[in-house]
Amino acid sequence: MRAPGARQLRWAATTSATTEPTQGGQEGSKGTPTPPKAVKFTAESYPELKRDARFAEVTSDDVKFFQELLGSESAVIESISKDASDDIEPFNTDWMRKYRGHCKLVLKPETTEQVSKILKYCNDKSLAVVPQGGNTGLVGGSVPVFDEIVVNLQRMNKIRSFDQVSGILVAEAGVILEVADNFLAENNHIFPLDLGAKGSCQIGGNVAANAGGLRLLRYGSLHGNVLGIEAVLPDGTIVDDLCKLRKNNTGYDLKQLFIGGEGTIGIITGISILCPQRSSAINVAYFGLESFEAAQAAFKEAKGQLSEILSAFELMDGRTQKILSYVKDKKLPLEGEHPFYCLVETSGSNAEHDNEKLQNFLEHVMGEGIVTDGVVAQDQTQINELWSCRETVPESLGHWGGVYKYDLSIPIAELYQLVEDTRERLTKAGLVGETDEYPVVDVVGYGHMGDSNLHLNVPTRRYDKEVEKHLEPFVYEWVQKRNGSISAEHGLGIAKKAFIGYSRSDTMIRLMKQIKDLYDPKGIMNPYKYI
Ligand code: FAD
Ligand code: MLT
Ligand code: ZN
């Protein structure tokens, strides 16, 4: 292990808050960005998807109604009476540049009452709707397929209240995650979710996707932390359930249907959420290991020795770090190459006590030969730098133009085996290579090891049906055989629509459909997606 302070890590920029939907996958390579390739329309990539003839097409009368309702000119972007396709494009195309819709109308309401009036109108007129937050979703759920209207929540961005004693935050759905967390930091609290897209994603989108992120291991799932929800149903009904109680055992907990519902039964307009006290002592260590078995041993030791102060345990394979270093032109924190890397974070309230625990842990894993080399951050800049080796992985993998992303829950002992098996399969099929004739650049794995959540990623030079055929249903069958889940945290959207049966029984799918029909009898909410 390097001596504390011996290593001055290079500065890495952190994400900053933006309000327009972002698109990734094209930036930041050694100052020479890959020229953006046109994104194919979803309807062309998936010709089996047909526009549902029950839905009406947007007319100029509809546009007039929404313009009068929303008042402000910037609240309506329309391509019905003029060509505004460039302005609409960011709302039509997803972050991976894999899915693209034909939407001609984007609405940005500012109040729950406006959302209610929008949905009631759409329901009465059979106009289909896609709720959209920061558009950072990774399963194609946040963009239209055909001409659905996008309702983007970015203008509903107020923090309504915060209770210093209970730590309960009430905020509108369009508040950007990083903005919410910065507000909480000023109040000595932390948002119980953190993820690489924090500068763009919205807390309503996080809840709708039931995002997991980097510290689920410590703070738990949004299903436990979200205490209340304000949402609008397709018929305009406002579900006013912004409960601020930790305990409330009074019948069905209906808010849970919106958490992870992916915008298929209504639009979330506000949430109340329990936020923990912010830890005053944070430590981050990054180390290299020789095998996945060693990574498991390190995790076991981390749980045993760091116990209540452990706040993250993340895994990156060597290939991921190599790609990151190449694309970002970044010097990695450790010399030499290692097949695996782990990032461990502790968060506690007593720096001396935490440092002692971490030192004991590191000495033990080094002494036992579990960890080959490592570095501990000495200040906030170095903490950010180490985290950037994990958080900027998704962006760097998009460098060549496309990524097939799989987000899986797998029993931990076999977690990495899927990456090896997939690599072997694609290599045997002659799809992986260094030059342009090969669609696949590499097959890599990283993820939230502390939650047994693997991100299997296949960066490609182009989205290619041949590659897709070799990956699906292979990956899903592999996971099903191990009783895993085909989606640990990203959801199903359109990407996994056809594969839900690999993780849910017929009975469960039937019950989900009944709920969908009950809340959204005309099916206008986020159609063509998983339900
Ligand atoms: P969007 O992408 O806009 O929408 C996501 C889904 O929710 C869509 O189905 C949409 O229709 C629906 N929706 C959005 N807002 C509402 C609303 N107000 N009411 C009802 N439905 C709504 N996910 C993780 O779980 N863990 C991670 O660690 C993680 N890291 C990421 C890192 C990067 C770089 C990127 C690009 C994405 C990452 N994601 C991660 C995926 C993504 O789920 C999260 O970024 C986030 O939860 C999505 O929020 P959003 O506001 O962008 O929602
Ligand atoms: C992550 O953990 O980085 C996110 O879930 C995004 C991804 O899977 O690439
Ligand atoms: Zn993740």
Side-chain angles (χ1 to χ4, degrees):
M1 184 68 55
R2 292 175 198 288
R7 196 170 178 78
Q8 182 57 50
L9 296 170
R10 283 159 20 91
W11 164 258
T14 51
T15 48
S16 58
T18 62
T19 51
E20 286 303 307
T22 49
Q23 283 161 30
Q26 299 294 323
E27 327 123 49
S29 156
K30 301 164 172 270
T32 50
T34 312
K37 291 177 189 147
V39 182
K40 236 176 143 176
F41 287 109
T42 310
E44 281 169 23
S45 313
Y46 300 89
E48 66 279 9
L49 287 172
K50 301 286 177 225
R51 188 182 181 283
D52 189 333
R54 286 177 305 162
F55 299 136
E57 285 179 28
V58 183
T59 64
S60 49
D61 283 348
D62 300 327
V63 172
K64 218 194 272 156
F65 171 84
F66 292 123
Q67 278 166 337
E68 277 166 22
L69 172 69
L70 300 185
S72 148
E73 231 173 66
S74 59
V76 178
I77 312 178
E78 57 100 3
S79 232
I80 311 285
S81 69
K82 56 183 183 221
D83 180 13
S85 39
D86 284 353
D87 294 337
I88 291 186
E89 199 49 39
F91 301 87
N92 253 328
T93 308
D94 80 314
W95 188 87
M96 295 178 295
R97 302 180 59 80
K98 188 174 181 194
Y99 299 99
R100 184 177 174 203
H102 292 271
C103 157
K104 288 187 174 152
L105 179 63
V106 176
L107 304 175
K108 302 184 197 173
E110 209 177 2
T111 65
T112 304
E113 289 65 34
Q114 287 178 349
V115 175
S116 166
K117 287 184 178 145
I118 289 171
L119 286 192
K120 181 166 177 6
Y121 183 91
C122 289
N123 202 45
D124 290 347
K125 301 250 170 186
S126 294
L127 290 163
V129 168
V130 176
Q132 190 179 73
N135 195 12
T136 66
L138 298 172
V139 288
S142 51
V143 288
V145 176
F146 295 100
D147 55 348
E148 301 89 276
I149 298 170
V150 167
V151 178
N152 187 296
L153 278 288
Q154 65 178 244
R155 291 172 77 234
M156 288 199 65
N157 59 4
K158 289 174 214 61
I159 289 185
R160 291 189 187 161
S161 68
F162 178 65
D163 186 306
Q164 290 278 359
V165 180
S166 63
I168 295 166
L169 173 79
V170 181
E172 293 181 350
V175 174
I176 286 177
L177 175 58
E178 191 171 47
V179 172
D181 190 54
N182 287 343
F183 168 84
L184 288 163
E186 285 166 20
N187 291 281
N188 240 338
H189 282 70
I190 185 169
F191 201 89
L193 169 77
D194 187 16
L195 45 82
K198 58 179 158 275
S200 309
C201 63
Q202 301 174 4
I203 57 174
N206 299 146
V207 171
N210 186 26
L214 303 162
R215 293 195 188 82
L216 185 138
L217 158 107
R218 172 66 165 269
Y219 300 121
S221 143
L222 291 175
H223 278 296
N225 292 316
V226 172
L227 304 179
I229 274 192
E230 178 189 90
V232 180
L233 299 182
D235 67 0
T237 303
I238 297 175
V239 181
D240 183 5
D241 183 29
L242 273 178
C243 172
K244 289 189 266 178
L245 304 169
R246 183 123 197 228
K247 300 171 90 173
N248 180 12
N249 257 358
T250 48
Y252 299 136
D253 190 1
L254 295 177
K255 70 171 182 296
Q256 299 296 347
L257 296 175
F258 294 89
I259 305 174
E262 300 183 47
T264 57
I265 55 170
I267 296 188
I268 299 167
T269 51
I271 62 163
S272 61
I273 184 160
L274 184 64
C275 302
Q277 191 78 20
R278 208 170 189 95
S279 302
S280 52
I282 310 276
N283 283 305
V284 175
Y286 170 98
F287 41 75
L289 311 102
E290 288 313 300
S291 66
F292 182 65
E293 284 64 40
Q296 288 183 72
F299 178 47
K300 186 166 173 284
E301 290 303 325
K303 278 199 301 177
Q305 298 195 35
L306 302 171
S307 51
E308 81 287 353
I309 61 166
L310 181 64
S311 51
F313 195 103
E314 295 288 312
L315 174 82
M316 296 82 76
D317 68 7
R319 288 164 187 264
T320 324
Q321 294 297 276
K322 218 168 160 177
I323 288 177
L324 173 93
S325 162
Y326 167 75
V327 171
K328 296 277 173 194
D329 201 9
K330 177 186 175 74
K331 191 171 182 322
L332 293 175
L334 300 178
E335 300 295 342
E337 289 182 11
H338 303 270
F340 292 92
Y341 295 83
C342 288
L343 184 147
V344 179
E345 183 192 75
T346 64
S347 309
S349 58
N350 183 328
E352 211 178 307
H353 162 268
D354 294 2
N355 286 342
E356 193 184 321
K357 272 189 149 183
L358 186 64
Q359 280 310 324
N360 288 343
F361 162 70
L362 293 171
E363 271 165 31
H364 177 78
V365 289
M366 288 291 288
E368 293 291 312
I370 295 170
V371 162
T372 324
D373 193 7
V375 61
V376 183
Q378 298 302 306
D379 55 32
Q380 190 56 47
T381 308
Q382 293 185 358
I383 287 178
N384 294 345
E385 176 62 25
L386 293 185
W387 263 117
S388 80
C389 294
R390 168 62 184 88
E391 285 187 294
T392 56
V393 166
E395 190 187 316
S396 60
L397 294 176
H399 172 72
W400 288 270
V403 204
Y404 288 93
K405 281 186 166 291
Y406 300 93
D407 153 49
L408 312 151
S409 274
I410 300 174
I412 201 148
E414 290 194 89
L415 186 100
Y416 196 74
Q417 189 57 46
L418 176 60
V419 183
E420 312 267 20
D421 291 357
T422 307
R423 189 180 303 126
E424 192 186 328
R425 181 176 168 84
L426 295 186
T427 307
K428 267 193 189 149
L431 296 166
V432 189
E434 285 183 6
T435 48
D436 218 36
E437 73 217 77
Y438 299 98
V440 175
V441 176
D442 208 344
V443 178
V444 307
Y446 58 98
H448 314 291
M449 182 151 174
D451 312 325
S452 241
N453 176 185
L454 172 76
H455 294 314
L456 164 70
N457 275 231
V458 181
T460 56
R461 298 185 172 87
R462 51 199 168 266
Y463 287 111
D464 181 305
K465 284 286 166 192
E466 193 57 20
V467 176
E468 196 171 305
K469 251 177 29 206
H470 279 81
L471 287 166
E472 299 169 10
F474 166 76
V475 170
Y476 301 124
E477 284 169 355
W478 196 102
V479 169
Q480 186 186 38
K481 271 188 209 140
R482 276 110 185 140
N483 296 318
S485 169
I486 65 159
S487 174
E489 57 173 12
H490 294 166
L492 298 165
I494 197 159
K496 298 167 196 168
K497 174 188 165 84
F499 306 106
I500 183 170
Y502 286 90
S503 282
R504 295 289 196 189
S505 67
D506 289 349
T507 307
M508 295 297 282
I509 296 169
R510 186 166 41 82
L511 289 172
M512 285 191 211
K513 286 202 169 125
Q514 284 174 2
I515 286 169
K516 167 77 175 171
D517 290 345
L518 181 69
Y519 280 72
D520 182 21
K522 291 177 106 175
I524 64 158
M525 293 303 307
N526 219 354
Y528 317 110
K529 307 295 162 54
Y530 75 94
I531 196 142

